[in-house]
Amino acid sequence: MLSLRLWVSERTVWRWLEQAKTTGQVEAPVRQGYVVSDEVWALLGEVGGKVAELRRRLAAAGDATVPSASTLHRVIRKDRRAGRALLVERELVVPG
């Protein structure tokens, strides 16, 4: 079966065929993926690196394209492993 040779599900092959029929394009669609912008990366630093809090703030800001928590975790982990530094803002605690 073609799907086994392409390492995709049979449903994916049927979806590609349907898209080819309706759009006339035979190339597989290119996935863009989610990319963390510099503004979102800075906000992540403001929330202390907490991805769940970052996602809550993005949703509260009315951002229409808030990715899932798993997507944010995966993309941020990938960026950190690639060497992107996270500057975490911390309050100075003075004893006394």
Side-chain angles (χ1 to χ4, degrees):
M1 170 134 266
L2 180 62
S3 61
L4 295 176
R5 287 180 167 246
L6 296 174
W7 292 90
V8 295
S9 70
E10 182 179 349
R11 177 71 193 122
T12 299
V13 174
W14 284 111
R15 198 171 53 245
W16 288 346
L17 291 171
E18 183 63 32
Q19 287 174 347
K21 261 199 301 192
T22 58
T23 65
Q25 290 182 312
V26 293
E27 296 85 22
V30 177
R31 292 184 183 183
Q32 296 299 322
Y34 182 76
V35 177
V36 178
S37 67
D38 291 337
E39 294 81 19
V40 172
W41 194 260
L43 182 58
L44 179 64
E46 289 176 20
V47 298
K50 297 180 178 88
V51 177
E53 179 62 25
L54 170 67
R55 190 168 187 278
R56 280 192 285 275
R57 290 206 186 176
L58 290 174
D63 192 349
T65 58
V66 178
S68 68
S70 61
T71 297
L72 274 175
H73 277 284
R74 185 183 68 250
V75 172
I76 289 168
R77 187 179 326 113
K78 180 181 165 192
D79 283 358
R80 298 277 317 270
R81 286 182 180 161
R84 191 170 185 184
L86 179 63
L87 302 175
V88 179
E89 295 182 9
R90 297 188 179 167
E91 294 181 22
L92 179 63
V93 178
V94 179

